[in-house]
Amino acid sequence: MAAVGLDQSERERYGRQILCLGEEGQSRLKSAHIVIAGAGGLGSPVSVYLAVAGVGRLTVIDHDTVERTNLNRQILHGDADIGRPKVESGVETLRALNPSIRVEGIRATIADENAASLIGDADGIVDAMDNYPTRFLLNRVAHERGIPLFHGAIRGFHGQATTCVPGRGPCLSCLFPNVPPKEVFPVVGVTPGVIGCIQATEVIKYLTGEGDLLTGRLLLWDGLAGSAEEIAVEPRAGCPVCSGGRV
Amino acid sequence: MNVTIRFFAQFRELFGPVHELSVPEGRRLTEVLHEIAEPNPDGKTALFSPDGRLRDYVIVMQGSERIEHDRAAALELRDGNTIAVFPPVAGG
């Protein structure tokens, strides 16, 4: 990921955050390619904030179409998008927000046979999925490629987030060796808003080298209590993906 | 001796956030969890399978260390222990 320069309109567009990240940090965002797996509740805020932050290339992957029941939380899509592929309306929204970046949508179901090629040469994967089998698949690809997986998940007013960086802490399979049965999960739209923004913050921090990542820490958000806590987590000996934290 | 059991995510809605308990020496972790869950049928179902074992997806942590379920059944609590118990959140 070689940093590229900024033009005058970019200096203007990102002026307020260049005050935080510097031109070099902004250039790093511009040079980056991030895959966002899922254009739903989490994928919406993550992709919106990474787009407006100026991440140079975003790939959004989703297989679904927009349904009315999505609209309490999936802010990439509107009423007029019902029935359209989420990647189509999502890409439209993101391009309108920031025409200066490259946004592509891939309508696909992430599976064993296509996961590696869908991720391509990405610098990181945002886990905006709603099920653990696909999350574990992305975790494996991220580990094989040596790139981070920015994990988030939500239910009701509760959410969790962590950042799995190969060789620097536990992977997702270390944290969750077994997963709960799939359910139609309850959700208030603000919860993926909070967690998605945390994931987007992690991406920006990782790409620019700012701050401390949520690596080895699981952040647990309780929206009803208005509190966030964290649990330190270590690589798990015998983890089938990372063998306890090895690259 | 005094121990603290902390619940997160939907377990917090079922059991409340924190149980600070005074228990006899040698009390095992899963015994304590059974005592907390017993008066709460929904909570008991969420935490334990019908055979009384912790459901396989329940995460039990002591500090930064995950307690495997076989070990949780045998783990004798010590004064001052704090245990975190939660299910993975799955939605997106």
Side-chain angles (χ1 to χ4, degrees):
Chain A
M1 187 175 58
V4 290
L6 305 175
D7 62 30
Q8 191 48 43
S9 74
E10 289 168 329
R11 286 193 186 90
E12 195 177 333
R13 175 185 283 272
Y14 307 119
R16 293 295 186 91
Q17 74 186 33
I18 287 172
L19 293 173
C20 302
L21 306 174
E23 282 214 16
E24 189 186 332
Q26 191 63 51
S27 297
R28 286 186 191 170
L29 296 184
K30 183 179 177 180
S31 310
H33 176 202
I34 295 293
V35 167
I36 299 155
L42 290 169
S44 289
V46 172
S47 59
V48 162
Y49 277 103
L50 292 184
V52 298
V55 172
R57 184 178 167 202
L58 295 176
T59 300
V60 182
I61 306 170
D62 201 296
H63 71 279
D64 245 338
T65 53
V66 178
E67 296 176 22
R68 186 164 280 115
T69 58
N70 302 149
L71 299 181
N72 76 321
R73 62 197 184 280
Q74 301 189 12
I75 57 170
L76 273 179
H77 323 291
D79 215 66
D81 298 317
I82 291 170
R84 295 177 73 195
K86 287 184 184 177
V87 289
E88 203 177 290
S89 48
V91 165
E92 229 171 68
T93 302
L94 298 171
R95 284 181 181 153
L97 283 167
N98 191 349
S100 73
I101 62 165
R102 181 174 161 196
V103 183
E104 55 207 0
I106 301 175
R107 191 175 183 194
T109 302
I110 300 168
D112 264 323
E113 55 275 17
N114 65 3
S117 65
L118 288 172
I119 300 310
D121 63 354
D123 299 305
I125 305 170
V126 176
D127 162 14
M129 301 307 302
D130 63 358
N131 70 88
Y132 273 93
T134 314
R135 286 186 164 105
F136 288 144
L137 191 50
L138 296 171
N139 178 59
R140 205 180 67 219
V141 173
H143 185 75
E144 286 166 1
R145 293 284 170 86
I147 59 175
L149 178 76
F150 303 95
H151 165 72
I154 51 96
R155 184 184 193 279
F157 281 93
H158 296 278
Q160 64 188 31
T162 190
T163 298
C164 304
V165 183
R168 283 167 55 182
C171 77
L172 199 65
S173 293
C174 292
L175 268 69
F176 306 117
N178 298 297
V179 297
K182 196 163 167 56
E183 61 169 348
V184 177
F185 58 90
V187 55
V188 181
V190 291
T191 306
V194 171
I195 297 299
C197 284
I198 290 169
Q199 290 175 281
T201 307
E202 289 293 290
V203 173
I204 291 167
K205 283 157 53 184
Y206 173 79
L207 293 175
T208 60
E210 296 282 340
D212 298 315
L213 294 170
L214 283 172
T215 301
R217 297 184 289 146
L218 180 67
L219 182 141
L220 298 163
W221 166 249
D222 178 344
L224 287 174
S227 67
E229 299 183 54
E230 64 175 58
I231 291 182
V233 281
E234 292 171 359
R236 180 166 58 96
C239 170
V241 175
C242 73
S243 309
R246 292 188 198 133
V247 181
Chain B
M1 64 178 186
N2 297 313
V3 298
T4 303
I5 310 292
R6 308 189 70 210
F7 291 101
F8 294 95
Q10 61 262 46
F11 284 1
R12 191 170 266 205
E13 290 166 12
L14 293 163
F15 300 115
V18 183
H19 288 245
E20 289 173 335
L21 305 167
S22 181
V23 298
E25 292 284 338
R27 184 60 56 95
R28 290 186 166 84
L29 173 57
T30 47
E31 291 173 338
V32 171
L33 293 177
H34 269 290
E35 283 167 21
I36 293 171
E38 198 54 49
N40 180 339
D42 288 344
K44 189 176 175 186
T45 302
L47 197 52
F48 293 104
S49 51
D51 65 2
R53 294 159 66 99
L54 280 170
R55 292 198 181 272
D56 63 358
Y57 55 81
V58 173
I59 309 289
V60 181
M61 306 277 297
Q62 183 177 11
S64 62
E65 186 192 358
R66 171 195 306 288
I67 308 293
E68 301 296 341
H69 289 185
D70 289 348
R71 226 185 109 214
L75 183 71
E76 288 186 11
L77 293 169
R78 295 189 177 167
D79 188 43
N81 276 170
T82 296
I83 306 290
V85 183
F86 57 98
V89 172

